[in-house]
Amino acid sequence: MADKKNRNGEFWELALERAHLGVWDWDLRTGDCFYSAMWSQMLGYGQGELAETSDLWLQLTHPDDRERAVASGERHIAGLTESIETELRLKHKSGHWVWVLDRGGVVERDAEGRPLRLMGVQTDITKQKQAEAQLEQVNVRFRLALAASGTGIWHHDLAARKSYWDQRTREIFGLVAETDEVSQDLWHSYLHPDDRADAERAHLAPLQTQKVVAVQYRIIKRDGEIRHVESLIRLIADAQSSGQILGTVRDITEAKQREQELAHAAHHDALTGLLNRAAFDRLLAEHIATARPLAIFYVDLDYFKALNDFAGHAAGDLALKSVAKRIQGCLLPSVHAARLGGDEFALLVPDCDAAQAERLAGAVLAAVRDADIGSTAASRKLAASIGIAFVADENTAVADALACADDACYAAKAAGRNRFAVFSPETTSGSSGLNAARLAADTVDAMEDGRLKLFGQEIHRLGTPLQESRHVEVLARLAGRNGRLIPPGEFIPAAERFGIASRLDRWIIRTALSLHGPALKSGALTLGFNLSAQTLSDPQLWDFVDAVIDETGAPHAGIGFEITETAAVTNFTAAEQFVRKARERRCRVSLDDFGAGMSSFEYLRRFPVDAIKIDGSFIEHIAESRFDREIVSAISGIARSLGCSVVAERIEEQASLDILRGMGVAFGQGFLLHRPEPLQAIVARASAQAALPAGRRA
Ligand code: C2E
Ligand code: CA
Ligand code: CA
């Protein structure tokens, strides 16, 4: 401990210097003012650099602060204040301003108590001022951000059990009040019953944790409006009291709505409001994983493309919307409906057995038929083809499950549309199954859009000259969507499997007779039509043919039909009747592909046909194969004995032709004689020939 008497002037000087305090000492009687070295130093001046006038400090004071500084001194001198205490800026030697805190007061008075001398200290508080300014800036920004975000601030004083809501908080809750203080129960009275427990728990959570707690909940305003709000809450503990719970509150109703809309848009088709493909796939994967049996419906609209083309896209959109609405209307809540794109829809039907699936398919078909397609196309009705696949194996891939339903849908389309078909692995498995279904469906489309073409191949009398025969076999060709000509060997079997062969044959007959009726009538040529087994057993076939003949004026005698041996055998009664009716009308009938089954001689007696066409497989190698020669010879012998003509198919080489001629086979067909070409061209040529005088015919 230093000795008391040592605390002299030097001691105080040292202390003031260490504390960075500048001292001033103002004698009111003389007007002199002393400034300590520290004071000058604070402003960047050395000893003796400043003139020690009484108003030196005032000269150095910032103009904006002068009035306040002077007033503070005057008030004290006048006895109005205990002491002088003011903040002011003084000019530093280098030109910048130094913030100082000035504290002082009267230290000497005369007998009457009038002040004689004042002393004070000034401290550099620039740093503190800067910090304050920064804090203020942060504050301003914070308030701005709060205002911009529409965030309300509230707090609850735990000790006083009082709550305070700022203006914005009150606005959010729709509370009309002048003061911030609200009753502590008020908040609870706004809580939505479903969110009450969570919200209350969240508001108490800060008592247990240091962290900020966030909670979203709904409030019901006094007018009944429900709003979503979000609060951030934390405990502000302080030494004196048990603390406050401080919180924000923000109305997030619009954001919530947008969020929900976005979520909806991500999972739904914008036009129809049904699930979209991605959402359906996800849902399907989830359902398959549960291993509970379910059915998938693949619904493809028929005639929709035509509707879109003829009535426009607006009508198309209207139809899609209406279809979606009506389909939805006949579904149980457990069924999920999706639009997969274009005019394709899908349903996911949980716990569905065959009978339920059938009923639902019927309802969906009816719903589509009833769909509103607008006035432009009012006369037309929409229809749908539905493919149904059942899934019970949890290992099924979503894509496979959908492909099966799609496959069945093609089958429904091929079978004539406006119907449903159930996927069965037996009929559609393997790669060809799917292709066949597509091909059959495409064939149906081709009939509508002109891609099904009529070709023909002449059948020649094998005598000389060859050209005398004018009989032409009509052959169908399918122009694929890529332009490739698909041979009937590919699409006829598919058409037969999906039950559209009969439609196809009718289309060929009607089209050929409509186009070439006059040529047939003129006798320029005769046409032979191939008939599938299905056509053969079609009880209305002759009504149809008669009607077409009536319409087109084509003579019965100018028309022939080719039925295959296999078709005849499998539909024996139908074939018999067909041949009888054909004979009544004097239409020619040929037994096609004869010999391929080798069971045929017996049938030859039962079917009084006009001609048999020896299957090409016996003809193509006839020059090399003795066996083939013997078969052909035998067949033609029997045929002749029964009084029917013989046609040899697939004559490709001159050698074959010579052999057949030698055997006395009267008619032939094959690339050597004539390659199939568009029927139109053949008819044009034949008509031109027929018009020539008999002697000049080639
Ligand atoms: P098909 O009745 O035996 O017809 C003869 C087939 O042999 C035709 O094939 C013809 O192009 C082909 N051909 C003709 N000459 C030769 C030759 O010298 N060499 C070879 N290798 N082939 C020759 P295409 O047009 O491919 O028809 C195949 C089958 O499709 C036809 O056999 C017929 O059964 C069926 N078909 C064709 N058009 C129709 C139709 O409109 N309706 C029905 N139901 N079936 C049809
Ligand atoms: Ca044929
Ligand atoms: Ca044939």
Side-chain angles (χ1 to χ4, degrees):
M1 260 311 242
D3 195 318
K4 198 175 177 179
K5 55 182 177 279
N6 283 343
R7 289 181 191 148
N8 50 19
E10 197 188 340
F11 167 87
W12 290 112
E13 220 165 280
L14 222 61
L16 290 168
E17 198 183 310
R18 278 277 147 245
H20 290 272
L21 296 172
V23 179
W24 52 266
D25 181 356
W26 183 17
D27 191 332
L28 289 178
R29 289 158 299 196
T30 61
D32 288 343
C33 195
F34 160 83
Y35 299 93
S36 74
M38 193 61 224
W39 188 85
S40 307
Q41 206 181 309
M42 196 168 67
L43 299 177
Y45 295 97
Q47 195 88 50
E49 262 191 277
L50 289 166
E52 298 199 348
T53 59
S54 63
D55 64 347
L56 172 64
W57 72 273
L58 199 61
Q59 283 169 31
L60 293 176
T61 297
H62 193 287
D64 292 353
D65 300 342
R66 275 181 202 155
E67 205 176 304
R68 186 161 34 85
V70 170
S72 161
E74 283 174 350
R75 270 204 307 279
H76 177 60
I77 291 166
L80 297 172
T81 52
E82 262 322 275
S83 60
I84 295 170
E85 181 162 342
T86 182
E87 288 174 0
L88 52 104
R89 279 163 289 182
L90 296 176
K91 196 173 205 143
H92 192 271
K93 186 182 176 189
S94 60
H96 64 266
W97 296 100
V98 178
W99 269 105
V100 299
L101 171 66
D102 183 86
R103 282 205 189 103
V106 177
V107 290
E108 233 184 286
R109 295 176 189 274
D110 62 12
E112 280 81 54
R114 278 195 298 265
L116 295 177
R117 186 176 167 205
L118 282 84
M119 266 182 87
V121 289
Q122 292 190 339
T123 336
D124 184 339
I125 55 164
T126 309
K127 280 209 184 94
Q128 188 185 325
K129 274 287 180 192
Q130 274 165 356
E132 267 175 30
Q134 260 164 22
L135 194 68
E136 176 58 17
Q137 217 173 45
V138 169
N139 255 321
V140 167
R141 282 198 204 135
F142 174 65
R143 278 197 300 274
L144 209 73
L146 270 187
S149 69
T151 303
I153 302 271
W154 53 267
H155 69 269
H156 177 74
D157 193 310
L158 290 165
R161 304 170 66 80
K162 278 182 178 159
S163 293
Y164 302 87
W165 291 10
D166 76 350
Q167 175 71 26
R168 185 77 195 111
T169 303
R170 296 200 299 270
E171 278 167 21
I172 290 169
F173 285 79
L175 176 71
V176 184
E178 284 307 312
T179 56
D180 282 8
E181 191 181 325
V182 298
S183 86
Q184 81 159 326
D185 304 323
L186 183 70
W187 175 70
H188 299 267
S189 71
Y190 283 98
L191 300 181
H192 189 290
D194 293 348
D195 297 352
R196 174 184 301 275
D198 282 348
E200 288 178 344
R201 197 171 323 114
H203 280 67
L204 290 175
L207 297 177
Q208 262 84 52
T209 169
Q210 290 296 304
K211 288 198 211 112
V212 173
V213 177
V215 62
Q216 296 187 352
Y217 57 97
R218 281 164 295 172
I219 57 170
I220 304 176
K221 289 166 79 167
R222 294 294 183 247
D223 60 6
E225 192 190 0
I226 295 175
R227 306 290 296 179
H228 289 262
V229 298
E230 182 183 57
S231 281
L232 301 178
I233 313 143
R234 69 167 296 179
L235 179 72
I236 308 283
D238 68 53
Q240 284 94 47
S241 70
S242 37
Q244 313 185 326
I245 293 176
L246 181 67
T248 63
V249 62
R250 195 163 60 90
D251 190 315
I252 54 164
T253 310
E254 271 77 36
K256 269 261 174 256
Q257 266 160 10
R258 249 195 321 279
E259 202 176 280
Q260 280 162 4
E261 280 162 17
L262 280 177
H264 190 271
H267 296 123
H268 291 79
D269 165 48
L271 181 67
T272 61
L274 299 181
L275 293 175
N276 61 22
R277 172 100 206 207
F280 187 80
D281 281 358
R282 246 191 327 270
L283 212 61
L284 188 54
E286 285 166 23
H287 274 78
I288 291 174
T290 65
R292 303 238 313 267
L294 62 93
I296 301 164
F297 282 45
Y298 203 104
V299 183
D300 193 306
L301 300 188
D302 303 326
Y303 320 119
F304 180 75
K305 282 173 193 77
L307 174 76
N308 233 355
D309 290 348
F310 295 124
H313 283 277
D317 284 358
L318 182 81
L320 288 174
K321 271 196 237 178
S322 174
V323 164
K325 203 168 141 212
R326 282 178 191 267
I327 289 181
Q328 194 111 61
C330 59
L331 302 179
L332 290 172
S334 61
V335 179
H336 303 280
R339 177 171 170 230
L340 301 182
D343 56 353
E344 289 163 16
F345 297 84
L347 304 180
L348 191 176
V349 193
D351 304 312
C352 182
D353 64 23
Q356 286 167 319
E358 199 167 311
R359 269 200 304 280
L360 181 56
V364 171
L365 287 174
V368 173
R369 278 196 300 272
D370 289 347
D372 177 14
I373 56 176
S375 51
T376 342
S379 57
R380 192 84 197 245
K381 276 209 177 298
L382 273 184
S385 299
I386 303 177
I388 303 172
F390 293 98
V391 183
D393 179 0
E394 67 201 281
N395 297 313
T396 313
V398 165
D400 290 345
L402 262 177
C404 290
D406 185 16
D407 193 2
C409 181
Y410 268 104
K413 256 194 195 309
R417 296 160 192 254
N418 190 23
R419 70 194 63 210
F420 68 91
V422 177
F423 175 82
S424 105
E426 289 81 53
T427 54
T428 25
S429 72
S431 63
S432 67
L434 197 63
N435 290 336
R438 281 176 201 276
L439 199 56
D442 196 39
T443 306
V444 175
D445 290 341
M447 285 187 246
E448 282 170 13
D449 60 25
R451 285 185 296 113
L452 193 64
K453 310 281 186 198
L454 297 181
F455 271 55
Q457 187 181 31
E458 294 170 359
I459 297 172
H460 290 237
R461 189 178 279 280
L462 296 187
T464 30
L466 287 167
Q467 285 84 356
E468 235 172 76
S469 166
R470 301 207 187 284
H471 187 67
V472 176
E473 177 180 3
V474 179
L475 296 167
R477 297 283 182 274
L478 175 63
R481 295 199 187 272
N482 54 8
R484 183 177 80 98
L485 272 189
I486 302 166
E490 276 180 41
F491 67 88
I492 301 261
E496 280 172 347
R497 212 173 87 196
F498 292 106
I500 54 159
S502 181
R503 239 176 109 186
L504 182 112
D505 286 347
R506 285 183 178 217
W507 187 91
I508 301 267
I509 294 168
R510 177 188 285 283
T511 309
L513 294 187
S514 311
L515 288 173
H516 308 302
L520 291 180
K521 209 170 175 182
S522 75
L525 79 168
T526 61
L527 291 180
F529 294 100
N530 289 289
L531 295 185
S532 74
Q534 274 160 29
T535 310
L536 207 54
S537 47
D538 173 359
Q540 264 100 54
L541 179 68
W542 277 108
D543 292 344
F544 166 77
V545 174
D546 289 341
V548 175
I549 285 175
D550 267 4
E551 276 169 37
T552 59
H556 283 95
I559 299 166
F561 295 100
E562 300 189 3
I563 57 176
T564 64
E565 200 199 329
T566 347
V569 172
T570 46
N571 303 271
F572 196 79
T573 327
E576 234 177 1
Q577 269 179 29
F578 174 83
V579 173
R580 192 167 39 77
K581 288 187 175 172
R583 296 201 75 88
E584 281 167 20
R585 290 162 173 82
R586 298 186 49 243
C587 288
R588 290 166 51 86
V589 180
S590 309
L591 206 52
D592 204 358
D593 300 346
F594 192 83
M598 281 315 279
S599 56
S600 349
F601 294 106
E602 175 57 21
Y603 296 114
L604 264 185
R605 280 179 234 286
R606 315 277 296 262
F607 297 119
V609 296
D610 299 285
I612 62 163
K613 299 181 75 175
I614 302 173
D615 193 77
S617 59
F618 296 108
I619 310 297
E620 47 186 2
H621 306 297
I622 198 164
E624 306 92 63
S625 165
R626 219 186 104 205
F627 176 79
D628 288 352
R629 283 197 295 275
E630 275 170 13
I631 299 273
V632 173
S633 163
I635 293 173
S636 52
I638 291 167
R640 262 196 308 269
S641 74
L642 290 170
C644 50
S645 326
V646 175
V647 183
E649 293 183 322
R650 222 183 288 174
I651 303 171
E652 293 180 345
E653 293 158 11
Q654 188 61 43
S656 313
L657 178 64
D658 294 342
I659 291 169
L660 292 163
R661 260 186 194 147
M663 286 178 179
V665 172
F667 298 93
Q669 195 179 0
F671 293 168
L672 181 73
L673 306 172
H674 178 235
R675 268 191 185 266
E677 64 179 320
L679 186 57
Q680 188 92 51
I682 303 174
V683 173
R685 210 168 41 236
S687 301
Q689 291 245 324
L692 291 174
R696 297 204 30 215
R697 286 183 196 167

